[in-house]
């Protein structure tokens, strides 16, 4: 079984060479090499490296550097700014970048990102993504109605829903009712132009490792979406204050809540299909 993590973030220390835009509650650095080491330790073959918006905003240059250094282990996704009039050209150029497998848009309730689904910036990005056959990662947690409307507005685009579409914490504990938006997530499964990342799920648990209370709500996700449209992931390092990397991997590798073929699809097969990329096996 090839294991692919559908979402990781790596980044350098905060220095004048590549300063952070903001300082989240993450480790001081998790470089590409450090990310590979932690993946190797727990047997993860490859990962989709989402350029860290918190630190680097729309600059994906570090992700490009890391992919160049570890081409068999990472594919890369770049956030694109809907306010940039050159967004379509940026998508076109990104398509030519070695290892690039997708773009990302933010559609949360945060100021400046709680946008109308008819926003012309989104239209520019999504039309370009269709033209260049790139899937669009969409972060719309806490704002699923708007995200659903955007998906419906662009039936020809391929969407990958980040983090179950469910708002997840950066620090413990999980919210009192972490799965409140689950009915909207299940309804969203009817959109055949979307798949969903089962990423960061362990951060929604009220129980200690191995997080036994996540399986009932996740079973409903798997039933609605099908394993071939569910992409397991850790969302390391956003999740680090709640779980370590091994704790985000092992519950899915060891649980008896699904079959080996379902596990293989969830933990790699669906991701390879959605992004058109597979890692080179570790030697």
């Amino acid at each position: 079984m090839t294991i692919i993590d559908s979402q990781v973030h790596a980044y350098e220390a905060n220095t004048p060479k590549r300063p952070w835009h903001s300082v989240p509650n993450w480790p001081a650095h998790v470089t590409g090499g450090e990310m590979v080491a932690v993946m190797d330790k727990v047997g993860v073959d490859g990962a989709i490296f989402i350029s860290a918006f918190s630190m680097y905003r729309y600059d994906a240059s570090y992700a490009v550097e890391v992919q160049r250094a570890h081409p068999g282990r990472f594919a890369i996704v770049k956030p694109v700014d809907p306010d940039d009039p050159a967004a379509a050209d940026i998508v076109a150029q990104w398509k030519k970048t070695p290892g690039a497998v997708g773009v990302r848009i933010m559609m949360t309730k945060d100021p400046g990102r709680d946008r109308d689904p008819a926003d012309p910036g989104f239209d520019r990005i999504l039309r370009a993504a269709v033209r260049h056959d790139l899937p669009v990662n969409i972060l719309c947690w806490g704002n699923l109605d708007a995200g659903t409307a955007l998906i419906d507005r662009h039936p020809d685009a391929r969407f990958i829903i980040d983090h179950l579409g469910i708002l997840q914490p950066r620090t413990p504990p999980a919210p009192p009712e972490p799965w409140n938006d689950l009915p909207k997530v299940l309804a969203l499964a009817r959109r055949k132009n979307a798949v969903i990342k089962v990423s960061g799920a362990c951060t929604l648990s009220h129980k200690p490792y191995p997080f036994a209370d996540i399986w009932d709500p996740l079973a409903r996700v798997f039933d609605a979406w099908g394993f071939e449209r569910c992409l397991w992931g850790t969302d390391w390092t956003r999740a680090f204050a709640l779980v370590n990397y091994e704790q985000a991997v092992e519950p899915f590798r060891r649980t008896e809540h699904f079959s080996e073929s379902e596990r293989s699809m969830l933990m790699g097969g669906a991701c390879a299909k959605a992004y058109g990329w597979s890692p080179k096996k570790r030697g």
Side-chain angles (χ1 to χ4, degrees):
M1 180 173 88
T2 298
I3 300 180
I4 307 174
D5 191 333
S6 69
Q7 179 141 342
V8 302
H9 304 290
Y11 51 91
E12 295 180 311
N14 187 9
T15 67
K17 174 197 164 196
R18 188 178 267 125
W20 296 358
H21 178 272
S22 62
V23 181
N25 64 323
W26 297 3
H29 52 81
V30 178
T31 64
E34 288 169 331
M35 192 71 235
V36 167
V38 76
M39 289 161 56
D40 283 347
K41 185 178 177 184
V42 296
V44 171
D45 297 294
I48 308 299
F49 175 176
I50 313 292
S51 181
F53 186 78
S54 296
M55 287 115 165
Y56 300 140
R57 284 309 192 252
Y58 300 105
D59 174 10
S61 59
Y62 184 65
V64 172
E65 284 182 20
V66 169
Q67 195 281 334
R68 190 179 299 134
H70 306 279
R73 307 301 299 279
F74 294 113
I76 49 178
V77 170
K78 168 188 172 62
V80 179
D81 184 358
D83 289 328
D84 191 330
D89 294 333
I90 289 168
V91 173
Q93 193 61 39
W94 184 245
K95 174 69 176 184
K96 300 174 187 174
T97 304
V101 295
V103 294
R104 190 186 200 200
I105 58 176
M106 312 294 198
M107 199 178 188
T108 64
K109 286 289 190 183
D110 297 320
R113 281 185 261 157
D114 188 8
R115 294 170 175 267
D116 189 316
D119 187 293
F122 286 148
D123 285 349
R124 281 193 295 270
I125 294 168
L126 288 159
R127 284 197 301 265
V130 171
R131 190 176 314 122
H132 298 288
D133 192 26
L134 284 170
V136 178
N137 294 249
I138 176 172
L139 181 67
C140 57
W141 60 11
N143 202 20
L144 270 171
D145 292 340
T148 301
L150 183 70
I151 290 167
D152 288 342
R153 182 178 168 85
H154 294 273
D156 295 333
R158 293 187 291 133
F159 288 91
I160 300 175
I161 313 298
D162 287 339
H163 310 327
L164 289 157
I166 291 175
L167 190 61
Q168 298 178 10
R170 285 180 180 266
T171 56
E177 300 294 337
W179 300 94
N180 267 349
D181 277 345
L182 185 59
K184 293 180 181 181
V185 174
L186 304 181
L188 189 52
R190 295 195 293 270
R191 278 69 180 182
K192 297 305 181 187
N193 61 327
V195 300
I196 194 163
K197 288 184 188 174
V198 183
S199 48
C202 299
T203 69
L204 297 171
S205 177
H206 289 145
K207 295 192 177 293
Y209 176 83
F211 317 119
D213 56 342
I214 66 174
W215 299 114
D216 286 345
L218 287 184
R220 297 178 65 192
V221 173
F222 301 146
D223 286 346
W225 286 83
F227 282 93
E228 71 283 355
R229 295 170 65 209
C230 291
L231 287 57
W232 164 82
T234 62
D235 197 21
W236 186 259
T237 50
R238 188 271 310 170
F240 105 98
L242 297 102
V243 297
N244 65 39
Y245 194 71
E246 183 177 12
Q247 289 172 337
V249 176
E250 290 304 307
F252 287 86
R253 186 150 50 193
R254 299 185 183 282
T255 185
E256 297 179 356
H257 283 83
F258 32 79
S259 69
E260 282 307 307
S261 63
E262 290 167 340
R263 190 188 325 274
S264 180
M265 182 61 70
L266 175 67
M267 296 191 76
C271 190
K273 179 183 175 186
Y275 286 105
W277 176 84
S278 290
K280 293 186 177 137
K281 280 287 193 179
R282 293 168 292 132

